[in-house]
Amino acid sequence: MQHENSSHAHDELDERHGHEEGESIIIKKLAPNEMLAKEMNESGIIAEAVAQGMHPIENGPYYSHMFGMNSRFTTNRGIIKITGKNFDLVQVLQKH
């Protein structure tokens, strides 16, 4: 096993991906509604993530006693604004 070749191979790998030694890689963490809006746009649906807490429908309770298996604990993860469909908004909720 040659250790000197392994470092050379690592340098080649970095150059192929456009990252030179010492260059920082920036990773942007997306909110759940931003990730879903991005996936919708990639699928051909015109979608835009709305900043969390900026729409009036986000202020209400997010559960119902009408359904037996429905969790009472849910978290609002944002709103997605849809263009060109029969509905305008999608609210992203997370069950606990």
Side-chain angles (χ1 to χ4, degrees):
M1 183 181 237
Q2 297 176 355
H3 293 286
E4 56 198 22
N5 288 341
S6 65
S7 67
H8 180 66
H10 178 69
D11 291 341
E12 288 178 10
L13 179 66
D14 288 344
E15 289 175 14
R16 279 184 280 162
H17 291 293
H19 303 293
E20 296 181 12
E21 194 171 315
E23 182 180 345
S24 62
I25 299 172
I26 299 171
I27 299 173
K28 182 182 177 192
K29 184 176 178 183
L30 296 175
N33 65 329
E34 292 172 331
M35 287 188 301
L36 186 56
K38 181 180 175 185
E39 289 177 16
M40 292 170 111
N41 281 313
E42 291 171 357
S43 298
I45 299 172
I46 302 170
E48 176 188 355
V50 178
Q52 192 168 349
M54 299 303 291
H55 198 279
I57 68 170
E58 295 180 275
N59 297 327
Y62 309 117
Y63 61 89
S64 172
H65 295 286
M66 308 262 313
F67 306 103
M69 298 301 291
N70 193 13
S71 173
R72 288 187 178 185
F73 301 103
T74 57
T75 303
N76 175 43
R77 294 296 183 187
I79 300 287
I80 300 171
K81 185 177 177 183
I82 307 293
T83 304
K85 299 292 177 184
N86 290 337
F87 50 93
D88 296 325
L89 299 171
V90 173
Q91 184 176 17
V92 182
L93 301 173
Q94 177 184 359
K95 288 175 69 173
H96 294 285

